[in-house]
């Protein structure tokens, strides 16, 4: 019944449940530990374990590196990292625990957008500094949340125009039938409006669907120049296999979801992913662009059994350093002070390049690139471009943008706030 | 989203072909997902909520053997064997205590499902490499369909049902097994080793789950410890819509459900296809509380009574 | 029983008479003594532990309504619903929709009533559909599960801005915001959070538990049990079986709805996974482990199992968190195999047997009045 970090309080709590009530006066504050503590809630079992595990591994790696190099402000950082098992209600409970009981100084949590939304009321209520690192639909403008992953506009913005220039302007959209997929579809529509592409088909597919034969027949009927695929999760991956079975690998696919997260190009035999172009900020194949560092090697040295070092894991990794730098500058772990430093805008040297945190929006200016898988699923990168969080910075609120330094906000903007989609 | 499918397909000879193949694809899938569960439920009164995980063991058995360099058909045999052995072990240790405790069997097998899928994760890691679907595709007009999924698997599915029909009606084993299920006391009095009949029947159910896993190992896409749920819902729905008669019930329920699923997906998109499958199940249960075969039997009896 | 001249005592006796009967476990003075101690302990609990534990326990209390709901319909009337989560979720969503559109304290209290009403009516409709249509046994189980799954599939795709009721966005897979429960009149209200929510839930649970005890020990309760034991014979005695089942199912739906409102306002959030198969299985697990014919067993099992599941997610000692689900699954298997009736009935049986043996040994002539049976 007890966690591995047995605190006085949890022992009392357990005793209380059993009603072995010895009325020992216990009250007051103080968490499970006195030193600086970091919370990591990443899925290592359940639906999202394939993506969550490497996020957890990379976060631990970064903190262990910092500890080995003398810690932060002279103190070793303690890690609290229970496994939320891809279960949103468990996430809610563990978030309460990490904030109230372990009193974490910063929190990294969650793969899916639904998870982020599930814990957001708790984050807001406690004003907890929280790094959400998954690439996501974008638009979250929230006081204490730093969504450092690339947004749909950044990812789709790099890959869609590239494919339209290369292959033609007739696009067929297939996406997962939930918030992320629908908003990503909206973003492709926005890009089509801006550049004059034609959306000739648009289809949203439930997350638990595994059979794509009707989807494939409809695509064949429309014969697009390329497909934009924002399919999500293990069930949807079957699309790529069925595409190869039906000999459709000559129709290129642009994506923001495949390869960089679930490493389908490794798990599937060619040619399932041939001619797939992903808009990414990072993939393992990119290596480490910093001088004299080798992130990939360090990662596999620490975690020899790891499957893949994905885009999200790199986000976790550099954002830990981003936070550590801000703590050093603030000379305190106090969350308010750290957020203030972060909001000044920070430069961080990440394996994916020299990145900038935009203080006003809490989002990153990422080095975006197109990753292409060839006949043998070898990855090559092209079309490197630096893209900032322009949607939040310049487009929302009638062009005024979201500026968290100026005003308090806990909202999420969507493309339809600005565009007619 | 209101506009579920961008542009519905125009009806033409090739698109009707596409609809037919989609139906066959769905038909084969539902039969194979259901048959193992239907045997165990229909003959033994045990609801196996770990059915999806049994199938997954077949998938893992096949995939691991295949990745070790064994040709796919042999790897599939290995998948079936592994699942059957596993089924016998589970029967001896767990399920034998649960006969005729329908509802308890649900909870126990739910626990078992948790254990299996988490152990697969611990032992084999986040995922296994996928296996490409064999046999390629058949093209007609602008369309194409997977030969394996839309032709081969439906044929195997119907053949499996045919084989079971022969096994349970034409062989001594089948007669004994059905006698055991119907009236274990009398069967025992007649010299039938009922204990062995239970094990064999459960082994057959497990073997069928293993076969489904083996056949879908190369058609499942990703192989992760959570994929068991892919099969469970369809299997449940088909079992109850089919009713008490295992073979005819599975066949007729699969046909009805896949007609709705395929036409729904074809004309309106996959969301409507999924919803139709579930809604049809609800309506069917309301109209035919004993399933399709229960209704047919009832109707036959009434007709006989009239004569 | 000794004749009491004390009027007060006779009122208590009459009250106990209502609360006790063959359909409940714990019909003895020692039981009520322990019950009182437990309630007192739970009332003191928030003073002794940290705010996190209070919040966490409130969540388990909200889930316990779901367990009571299932124990009531399954344990006492034999209706195994795999879809109680449907009414739980529908009520939570309804509470969110009404609560977000109106914000004053009075209106949030109205939202509470409205949400419970909608959940209850939904259960009544489903119940009418099933029991007057002759759906029975396993088919009820599967049908309720399918209804939950339909809601799951449907709600997951309501992400678009067109899926809104007033200002409340349904939010699809990402879920929906839910306001906190508020008591009060007009704009001034008392928001139920943390310890306040805990006490509100504790009071609601105690009242519900006692109410259900009265109900299952009443003549209606006897009819329920008769239906569970032998439906056909109960019908031949002239009871309107579909109607009784409908009433039972509707009450069950109302209980689930109460839990749903509390649960939604606990996390200020609800999402379609409440309709999913994994969540739907949980009430069945709690009730089976606790003992389905025992309301108090269902309550205890919910709190303990959920607490264990959360604690295990950090691993125990040298055993890593990856074993959590294996342990949970293994425990369930063990309970079902070794304690088929569930923990509370098995323990009760054990106590009764021990007592019998002691009475035999002591050659006691009078049968114990307060047999725990």
């Amino acid at each position: 019944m007890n966690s591995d970090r047995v605190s006085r309080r949890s022992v009392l709590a357990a005793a209380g449940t059993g009603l072995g009530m010895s009325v020992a006066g216990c009250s007051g504050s103080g968490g499970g530990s006195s030193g600086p503590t970091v919370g990591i809630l990443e899925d290592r079992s359940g639906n999202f374990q394939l993506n969550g595990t490497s996020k957890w591994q990379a976060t631990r790696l970064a903190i262990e590196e910092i500890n080995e190099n003398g810690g932060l402000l002279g103190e070793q950082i303690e890690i609290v990292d229970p496994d939320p098992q891809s279960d949103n209600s468990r996430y809610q409970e563990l978030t309460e625990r990490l904030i109230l009981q372990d009193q974490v100084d910063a929190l990294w949590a969650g793969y899916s957008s639904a998870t982020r939304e599930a814990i957001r009321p708790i984050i807001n209520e406690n004003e907890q500094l929280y790094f959400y690192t998954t690439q996501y639909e974008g638009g979250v403008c929230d006081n204490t949340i730093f969504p450092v992953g690339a947004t749909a506009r950044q990812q789709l913005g790099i890959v869609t125009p590239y494919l339209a220039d290369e292959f033609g302007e007739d696009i067929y959209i297939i996406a997962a039938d939930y918030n992320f997929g629908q908003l990503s579809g909206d973003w492709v529509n926005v890009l089509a409006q801006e550049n004059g592409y034609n959306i000739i088909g648009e289809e949203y597919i439930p997350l638990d669907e595994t059979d794509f034969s009707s989807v494939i027949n409809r695509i064949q009927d429309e014969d697009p120049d390329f497909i934009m695929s924002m399919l999500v999760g293990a069930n949807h991956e079957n699309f790529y296999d069925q595409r190869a079975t039906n000999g459709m690998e000559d129709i290129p696919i642009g994506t923001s979801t495949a390869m960089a997260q679930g490493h389908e190009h490794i798990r599937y035999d060619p040619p399932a992913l041939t001619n797939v172009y992903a808009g990414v900020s990072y993939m393992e194949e990119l290596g480490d662009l910093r001088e004299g560092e080798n992130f990939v090697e360090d990662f596999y040295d620490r975690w020899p059994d790891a499957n893949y070092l994905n885009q999200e894991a790199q986000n976790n990794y550099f954002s830990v350093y981003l936070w550590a730098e801000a703590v050093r500058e603030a000379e305190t772990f106090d969350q308010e002070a750290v957020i203030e430093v972060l909001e000044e805008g920070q430069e961080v040297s990440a394996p994916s390049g020299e990145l900038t945190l935009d203080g006003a929006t809490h989002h990153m200016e990422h080095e975006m690139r197109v990753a292409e898988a060839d006949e043998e699923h070898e990855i090559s990168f092209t079309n490197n471009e630096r893209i900032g969080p322009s949607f939040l910075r310049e487009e929302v609120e009638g062009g005024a943008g979201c500026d968290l330094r100026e005003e308090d906000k806990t909202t999420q903007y969507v493309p339809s706030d600005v565009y007619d989609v | 989203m209101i506009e579920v499918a961008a542009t519905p397909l125009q009806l033409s000879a090739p698109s009707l072909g596409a609809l037919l193949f989609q139906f066959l694809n769905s038909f084969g899938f539902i039969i194979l997902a259901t048959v193992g569960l239907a045997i165990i439920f229909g003959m033994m009164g045990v609801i196996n909520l770990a059915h999806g995980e049994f199938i997954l063991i077949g998938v893992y058995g096949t995939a691991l053997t295949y990745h070790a360099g064994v040709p796919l058909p042999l790897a599939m045999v290995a998948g079936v064997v592994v699942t059957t052995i596993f089924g016998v072990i589970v029967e001896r240790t767990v399920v034998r205590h649960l006969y005729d405790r329908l509802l308890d069997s649900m909870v126990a097998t739910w626990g078992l499902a948790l254990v299996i899928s988490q152990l697969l994760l611990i032992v084999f890691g986040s995922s296994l490499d996928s296996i490409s679907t064999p046999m390629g595709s058949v093209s007609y007009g602008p369309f194409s369909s997977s030969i394996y999924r839309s032709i081969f698997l439906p044929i195997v599915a119907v053949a499996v049902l045919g084989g079971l029909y022969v096994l349970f009606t034409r062989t001594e084993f089948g007669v004994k097994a059905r006698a055991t299920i119907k009236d274990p006391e009398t069967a025992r009095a007649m010299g039938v080793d009922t204990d062995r009949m239970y094990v064999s029947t459960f082994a057959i159910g497990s073997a069928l789950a293993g076969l489904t896993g083996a056949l879908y190992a190369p058609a499942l896409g990703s192989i992760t410890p959570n994929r068991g749920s892919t099969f469970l819902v369809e299997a449940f729905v088909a079992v109850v819509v089919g009713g008490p008669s295992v073979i005819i019930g599975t066949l007729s329920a699969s046909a009805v459900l896949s007609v709705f699923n395929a036409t729904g997906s074809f004309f309106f998109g996959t969301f409507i296809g999924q919803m139709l499958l579930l809604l049809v199940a609800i309506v069917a249960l309301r109209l035919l509380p004993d399933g399709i075969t229960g209704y047919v039997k009832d109707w036959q009896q009434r007709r006989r009574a009239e004569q | 029983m000794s004749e009491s001249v004390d009027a007060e005592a006779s009122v208590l006796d009459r009250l106990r008479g209502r609360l006790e009967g063959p359909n409940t476990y714990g019909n003895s003075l020692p039981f009520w003594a322990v019950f009182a101690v437990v309630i007192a302990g739970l009332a003191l609990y928030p003073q002794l532990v940290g705010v996190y534990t209070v919040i966490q326990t409130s969540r388990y209390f909200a889930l316990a309504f779901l367990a009571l709901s299932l124990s009531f319909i399954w344990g006492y009337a034999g209706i195994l619903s795999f879809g109680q989560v449907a009414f739980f979720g529908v009520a939570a969503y309804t509470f969110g929709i009404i609560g977000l559109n109106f914000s004053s304290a009075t209106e949030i209290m109205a939202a509470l009533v409205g949400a419970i009403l909608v959940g209850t009516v939904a259960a009544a409709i489903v119940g009418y559909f099933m029991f007057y249509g002759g759906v029975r046994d396993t088919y009820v189980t599967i049908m309720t599960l399918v209804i939950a799954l339909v809601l799951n599939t449907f709600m997951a795709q309501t992400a678009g801005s067109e899926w809104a009721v007033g200002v409340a966005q349904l939010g699809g897979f990402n879920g929906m915001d839910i306001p906190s429960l508020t008591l009060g009149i007009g704009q001034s209200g008392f928001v139920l959070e943390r310890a306040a929510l805990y006490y509100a839930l504790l009071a609601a649970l105690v009242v519900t538990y006692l109410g259900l005890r009265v109900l299952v020990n009443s003549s209606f309760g006897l009819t329920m049990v008769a239906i569970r034991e032998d439906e056909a014979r109960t019908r031949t005695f002239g009871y309107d079986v579909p109607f009784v089942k409908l009433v039972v199912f509707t009450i069950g739906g109302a209980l689930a709805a109460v839990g749903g409102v509390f649960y939604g306002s606990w996390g200020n959030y609800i999402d379609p996974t409440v309709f999913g198969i994994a969540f739907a299985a949980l009430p069945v697990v709690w009730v089976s482990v606790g003992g389905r014919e025992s309301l108090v067993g269902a309550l205890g099992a919910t709190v303990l199992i959920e607490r264990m599941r959360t604690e295990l997610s950090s691993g125990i000692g040298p055993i890593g968190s990856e074993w959590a689900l294996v342990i949970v699954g293994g425990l369930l298997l063990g309970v079902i195999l070794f304690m088929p009736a569930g923990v509370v009935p098995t323990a009760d049986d054990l106590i009764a047997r021990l007592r019998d043996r002691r009475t035999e040994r002591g050659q006691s002539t009078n049968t114990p009045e307060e047999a725990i049976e």
Side-chain angles (χ1 to χ4, degrees):
Chain A
M1 287 267 301
N2 288 322
S3 71
D4 52 349
R5 265 163 269 282
V6 183
S7 69
R8 199 156 96 101
R9 177 166 297 158
S10 71
V11 171
L12 258 180
T17 320
L19 291 167
M21 295 280 186
S22 66
V23 187
C26 165
S27 64
S29 54
S33 62
S34 50
T37 313
V38 157
I40 311 171
L41 294 177
E42 300 286 6
D43 303 310
R44 280 167 281 151
S45 47
N47 260 330
F48 300 123
Q49 48 87 9
L50 190 62
N51 299 312
T53 306
S54 61
K55 297 181 73 180
W56 170 73
Q57 289 165 334
T59 324
R60 281 206 73 115
L61 173 66
I63 292 166
E64 287 167 9
E65 283 176 2
I66 291 172
N67 279 343
E68 275 165 31
N69 293 320
L72 256 186
L73 306 182
E75 290 193 85
Q76 292 284 302
I77 306 162
E78 198 180 317
I79 300 172
V80 191
D81 57 348
D83 176 9
Q85 301 165 347
S86 310
D87 177 344
N88 284 344
S89 69
R90 178 122 306 117
Y91 261 107
Q92 292 182 309
E93 216 174 311
L94 291 172
T95 304
E96 297 268 16
R97 190 193 115 185
L98 261 52
I99 295 175
L100 296 171
Q101 185 170 300
D102 302 302
Q103 305 195 331
V104 295
D105 297 297
L107 177 68
W108 278 259
Y111 171 72
S112 80
S113 289
T115 298
R116 183 198 65 234
E117 290 306 306
I119 64 172
R120 207 144 73 92
I122 300 166
I123 299 289
N124 290 153
E125 189 191 341
N126 296 288
E127 299 185 347
Q128 171 66 42
L129 169 58
Y130 164 39
F131 291 89
Y132 175 65
T133 62
T134 309
Q135 61 90 8
Y136 85 114
E137 66 273 11
V140 169
C141 173
D142 197 312
N143 295 330
T144 59
I145 302 182
F146 287 80
V148 295
T151 62
R153 185 156 179 72
Q154 288 170 312
Q155 295 194 287
L156 300 169
I158 190 90
V159 71
T160 316
Y162 178 76
L163 290 179
D165 290 348
E166 292 276 310
F167 301 104
E169 301 188 340
D170 289 347
I171 307 173
Y172 196 103
I173 300 174
I174 49 173
D177 195 3
Y178 76 116
N179 311 56
F180 169 79
Q182 294 185 5
L183 293 175
S184 296
D186 285 353
W187 278 119
V188 177
N189 274 290
V190 168
L191 290 162
Q193 282 171 16
E194 287 176 347
N195 299 294
Y197 313 142
N198 314 312
I199 306 293
I200 60 172
E202 191 171 356
E203 198 169 339
Y204 296 90
I205 295 146
L207 281 165
D208 51 358
E209 184 62 60
T210 58
D211 175 15
F212 287 85
S213 54
S214 72
V215 176
I216 282 176
N217 289 154
R218 268 191 290 275
I219 294 174
Q220 289 172 325
D221 194 40
E222 296 290 346
D223 193 25
D225 292 324
F226 67 97
I227 299 164
M228 284 304 295
S229 153
M230 279 75 67
L231 298 174
V232 172
N235 293 333
H236 280 179
E237 284 174 9
N238 210 4
F239 169 73
Y240 297 101
D241 184 40
Q242 291 182 31
R243 161 184 181 254
T245 309
N246 284 285
M248 281 168 61
E249 58 272 23
D250 54 329
I251 305 179
I253 294 185
T255 179
S256 59
T257 51
M259 303 202 298
Q261 302 183 61
H263 53 286
E264 290 85 349
H265 57 295
I266 293 171
R267 292 165 44 232
Y268 286 75
D269 284 336
L273 275 291
T274 296
N275 260 333
V276 173
Y277 297 78
V280 300
S281 60
Y282 184 79
M283 284 173 75
E284 177 185 298
E285 286 80 357
L286 195 61
D288 195 333
L289 302 180
R290 297 172 300 176
E291 285 287 308
E293 300 275 353
N294 198 334
F295 176 41
V296 181
E297 211 165 83
D298 295 345
F299 181 81
Y300 283 104
D301 280 348
R302 175 65 181 85
W303 308 102
D305 293 333
N307 285 327
Y308 186 72
L309 174 45
N310 65 17
Q311 175 176 250
E312 275 60 39
Q314 199 251 171
N315 292 336
N316 283 54
Y317 182 79
F318 83 69
S319 55
V320 169
Y321 277 99
L322 191 67
W323 169 75
E325 225 17 76
V327 168
R328 285 195 188 107
E329 202 177 318
E331 295 174 346
T332 169
F333 290 97
D334 180 72
Q335 298 184 35
E336 218 173 303
V338 173
I339 290 173
E340 212 162 281
V341 171
L342 286 169
E343 284 183 347
E344 289 164 11
Q346 297 287 319
E347 305 291 322
V348 61
S349 182
S352 66
E354 298 297 323
L355 311 181
T356 310
L357 172 69
D358 181 60
T361 62
H362 293 190
H363 281 62
M364 300 298 297
E365 253 183 57
H366 273 289
E367 289 288 333
M368 300 304 299
R369 38 195 53 100
V370 174
E372 174 191 355
D374 69 6
E375 292 82 23
E376 297 303 317
H377 286 185
E378 294 294 328
I379 302 291
S380 55
F381 297 93
T382 46
N383 207 33
N384 202 351
E385 192 184 330
R386 193 177 183 83
I387 302 183
S390 57
F391 175 55
L392 280 178
R393 197 161 55 190
E394 292 141 22
E395 295 170 15
V396 300
E397 301 290 347
C402 129
D403 191 344
L404 290 162
R405 295 169 303 194
E406 300 294 319
E407 53 178 338
D408 282 351
K409 270 208 159 60
T410 54
T411 42
Q412 180 173 17
Y413 296 98
V414 293
S416 57
D417 292 340
V418 175
Y419 298 96
D420 182 27
V421 283
Chain B
M1 280 298 191
I2 303 292
E3 359 77 84
V4 253
T7 25
L9 292 177
Q10 300 299 309
L11 280 184
S12 64
S15 75
L16 281 179
L19 177 59
L20 175 69
F21 282 120
Q22 283 171 32
F23 162 75
L24 287 172
N25 179 354
S26 172
F27 181 60
F29 176 81
I30 297 178
I31 290 183
L32 287 171
T34 308
V35 64
L37 186 74
I39 293 271
I40 292 173
F41 172 60
M43 309 215 43
M44 318 176 75
V46 168
I47 294 190
N48 184 10
L49 277 182
H51 178 63
E53 279 66 26
F54 273 60
I55 293 177
L56 201 56
I57 288 174
V59 172
Y60 267 70
T62 306
L64 289 165
T65 332
Y66 173 75
H67 290 315
V70 177
L72 187 58
L74 281 179
M76 288 179 169
V77 173
V80 176
V81 171
V82 169
T83 318
T84 313
I85 294 171
F86 181 77
V88 171
I89 296 172
V90 168
E91 202 278 342
R92 289 288 83 183
T93 52
V94 178
V95 173
R96 57 184 306 195
H97 304 286
L98 301 173
Y99 290 121
D100 296 321
R101 284 167 57 195
L102 191 78
L103 305 173
D104 288 347
S105 72
M106 284 174 64
V107 182
T109 50
W110 189 77
L112 188 64
L114 283 185
V115 173
I116 296 174
S117 85
Q118 191 65 18
L119 282 179
L120 287 176
L121 175 68
I122 292 172
V123 178
F124 300 109
S126 316
S127 73
L128 297 185
D129 285 347
S130 300
I131 307 173
S132 308
T133 310
M135 296 187 189
S137 63
V138 52
S139 295
Y140 44 97
F143 304 116
S144 67
S145 295
S146 161
I147 295 174
Y148 186 75
R149 296 174 67 101
S150 293
I151 300 172
F152 178 72
L153 289 183
I155 291 175
V156 173
V158 173
V160 164
L161 288 182
L164 284 176
Y165 183 76
V166 172
L167 179 68
F168 281 106
T169 56
R170 300 286 144 84
T171 65
E172 200 193 325
F173 167 80
V175 175
K176 280 185 183 169
R178 285 191 301 152
T180 306
I181 306 309
K182 210 159 213 168
D183 189 348
E185 297 289 311
T186 317
R188 219 169 293 137
M190 308 272 285
V192 177
D193 183 350
T194 52
D195 205 39
R196 228 181 89 195
M197 285 298 133
Y198 279 127
V199 186
S200 321
T201 312
F202 197 82
I204 292 173
S206 309
L208 290 170
L211 177 68
T212 306
L215 290 170
Y216 273 93
L220 194 59
S222 65
I223 302 175
T224 68
N226 319 103
R227 294 306 304 278
S229 59
T230 305
F231 299 89
L232 196 63
V233 172
E234 270 91 346
F236 263 101
V237 168
V239 164
V240 289
V241 170
S245 168
V246 172
I247 293 158
I248 310 293
T250 304
L251 187 69
S252 51
S254 304
V256 170
L257 293 171
S258 47
V259 162
F260 282 96
N261 185 355
T263 46
S265 305
F266 180 82
F267 287 110
F268 307 108
T270 45
F271 167 66
I272 301 291
Q274 276 193 2
M275 286 295 269
L276 267 185
L277 185 129
L278 296 172
L279 292 174
V280 164
I282 294 177
V283 172
L285 282 180
R286 172 64 172 77
L287 298 178
L288 318 169
D290 289 320
I292 297 174
T293 52
Y295 177 76
V296 171
K297 206 175 276 171
D298 201 42
W299 179 77
Q300 281 172 338
Q301 275 171 356
R302 253 183 293 144
R303 233 176 63 144
R304 227 172 280 144
E306 275 167 27
Q307 283 165 356
Chain C
M1 241 174 241
S2 62
E3 199 63 47
S4 172
V5 279
D6 193 339
E8 216 170 284
S10 88
V11 169
L12 273 179
D13 276 349
R14 228 179 313 146
L15 193 63
R16 252 187 78 193
R18 284 288 199 82
L19 287 167
E20 292 182 356
N23 289 336
T24 44
Y25 289 94
N27 299 317
S28 63
L29 270 184
F31 172 82
W32 290 111
V34 172
F35 183 78
V37 171
V38 169
I39 300 300
L42 288 173
L44 276 175
Y45 193 52
Q47 315 304 322
L48 303 174
V49 296
V51 64
Y52 161 68
T53 312
V54 174
I55 290 175
Q56 184 191 33
T57 313
S58 309
R59 174 170 174 271
Y60 306 151
F61 284 173
L63 293 173
F65 278 96
L66 206 45
L68 280 182
S69 141
L70 183 63
S71 173
F72 178 68
I73 65 170
W74 180 21
Y76 292 91
I79 307 166
L80 172 51
S81 161
F82 218 115
Q84 287 311 91
V85 293
F87 315 119
F88 183 87
V90 162
Y93 269 103
T94 312
F95 179 70
I97 290 169
I98 305 177
L100 288 176
N101 278 298
F102 308 97
S103 53
S104 78
T106 325
E107 284 159 339
I108 288 185
M109 295 217 300
L112 168 71
V113 176
I116 295 170
L117 210 62
V118 169
T120 312
V121 169
I125 292 171
V126 171
Y128 178 80
F129 185 75
M130 292 192 302
F131 303 125
Y132 283 85
V135 183
R136 292 185 310 273
D137 309 333
T138 332
Y139 297 91
V140 168
T141 309
I142 304 296
M143 193 146 171
T144 46
L145 174 63
V146 173
I147 288 169
L149 292 176
V150 166
L151 288 168
N152 179 290
T153 311
F154 179 80
M155 291 310 295
Q157 57 85 53
T158 57
S161 50
E162 69 271 27
W163 294 105
V165 184
V167 300
Q169 292 281 339
L170 295 185
F173 186 79
N174 278 16
M176 180 173 141
D177 290 340
I178 305 262
S180 292
L181 265 176
T182 309
L183 298 179
I185 302 162
Q187 294 301 327
S188 61
F190 176 62
V191 182
L192 290 178
E193 327 173 279
R194 304 195 168 183
L197 182 62
Y198 175 94
Y199 284 115
L201 269 161
L202 181 60
L205 265 185
V206 171
V207 169
T208 309
Y209 170 70
L210 295 177
L212 284 177
R213 276 190 74 123
V214 171
L215 187 59
V216 297
N217 284 321
S218 68
S219 67
F220 184 77
L222 296 181
T223 317
M224 286 170 66
V225 172
I227 289 173
R228 178 188 78 198
E229 295 299 321
D230 192 335
E231 195 173 323
R233 189 180 290 180
T234 314
R235 192 175 300 115
T236 57
F237 282 139
Y239 288 100
D240 185 350
V241 172
F243 178 73
V244 175
K245 281 183 160 183
L246 172 62
V247 172
V248 170
F249 196 75
T250 307
I251 295 172
L255 291 172
V258 173
V261 172
F262 276 119
Y263 183 81
S265 75
W266 173 85
N268 296 118
Y269 175 80
I270 194 78
D271 73 3
T273 52
V274 291
F275 301 119
I277 197 164
F279 192 69
L282 287 177
V284 183
V285 168
W286 303 325
V287 171
S288 305
V289 170
R292 61 174 171 271
E293 292 168 24
S294 163
L295 296 167
V296 77
L299 286 176
T302 308
V303 175
L304 289 177
I305 290 178
E306 281 310 293
R307 184 168 172 122
M308 180 187 76
R309 274 164 33 98
T310 304
E311 299 291 337
L312 278 175
S313 67
S314 314
I316 28 172
I319 298 168
S321 60
E322 68 270 24
W323 291 95
L325 292 168
V326 178
I327 296 170
V328 170
L331 278 176
L332 288 179
L333 263 179
V335 168
I336 296 303
L337 289 182
F338 300 114
M339 292 184 241
V343 171
V344 167
T346 308
D348 187 76
D349 195 44
L350 201 70
I351 293 171
R353 250 187 295 161
L354 282 175
R355 186 177 290 229
D356 281 354
R357 202 179 303 161
R358 210 185 312 148
T359 1
E360 266 167 42
R361 211 181 297 149
Q363 306 259 314
S364 165
T365 43
N366 16 337
T367 43
E369 276 180 36
E370 315 286 8
I372 299 179
E373 189 49 66

